[in-house]
Amino acid sequence: DVKVTQSSRYLVKRTGEKVFLECVQDMDHENMFWYRQDPGLGLRLIYFSYDVKMKEKGDIPEGYSVSREKKERFSLILESASTNQTSMYLCASSLLGTGNTIYFGEGSWLTVV
Amino acid sequence: TQLLEQSPQFLSIQEGENLTVYCNSSSVFSSLQWYRQEPGEGPVLLVTVVTGGEVKKLKRLTFQFGDARKDSSLHITAAQPGDTGLYLCAGRGSNTGNQFYFGTGTSLTVIP
């Protein structure tokens, strides 16, 4: 079974702190994604990566950065957390190609106070 | 951004009833997927449809991809409390490489 593991399920951080969300997948997938999910807004893509050291902006990249130094690991970084970044963050991975399944992690609930 | 609109946003029905959830867009998608998400968990894939007009059945769930590949529907027959969850559609753009666009979701509650 494919497994996408997010390092933290629940985090509480203070405004201005630097926050790292880590994600690891074990199926040698080329694509990795970071989404945030908010009530009434669905899943919105922050960044995605289709290869090591490659990254593409999604729909809402402002205030975030990412790092993909190894194929299996994709990190989301909040350089200076703000209260409007309180959300559920979902990491996902997939193979390249049309119609391939996206596999999601269990999510990380981030609260910025 | 290629928008996917889902309707209804919320649905509460009695056990045994039938329901249909819709996913619509003005954009053409090369494939479309349906996911179900339970509270506190990540979404889990239910089905992928690729061909316009395609119909797939998964037990009591029937999925259809529109002929023009711009819309899709999910029909549940004789809903059960275990069907409760957030249903999400996701479309892969025909010219957006590997990016998927998600709908806003339909929150379904099936009352015993």
Side-chain angles (χ1 to χ4, degrees), chain A residues 8-19:
Chain A
S8 303
R9 289 300 307 273
Y10 302 97
L11 304 95
V12 179
K13 298 291 183 181
R14 295 194 179 279
T15 300
E17 276 193 78
K18 191 169 186 176
V19 182

Side-chain angles (χ1 to χ4, degrees), chain A residues 9 37 59 98 100-102, chain B residues 1 33 35 37 40 45 92:
Chain A
R9 289 300 307 273
Q37 184 174 28
D59 297 320
T98 300
N100 277 309
T101 302
I102 306 174
Chain B
T1 301
Q33 300 179 333
Y35 291 80
Q37 184 179 19
L45 179 72
R92 185 162 183 264

Side-chain angles (χ1 to χ4, degrees), chain A residues 14-28:
Chain A
R14 295 194 179 279
T15 300
E17 276 193 78
K18 191 169 186 176
V19 182
F20 292 88
L21 297 179
E22 305 285 347
C23 176
V24 176
Q25 50 95 2
D26 65 358
M27 280 301 291
D28 203 35

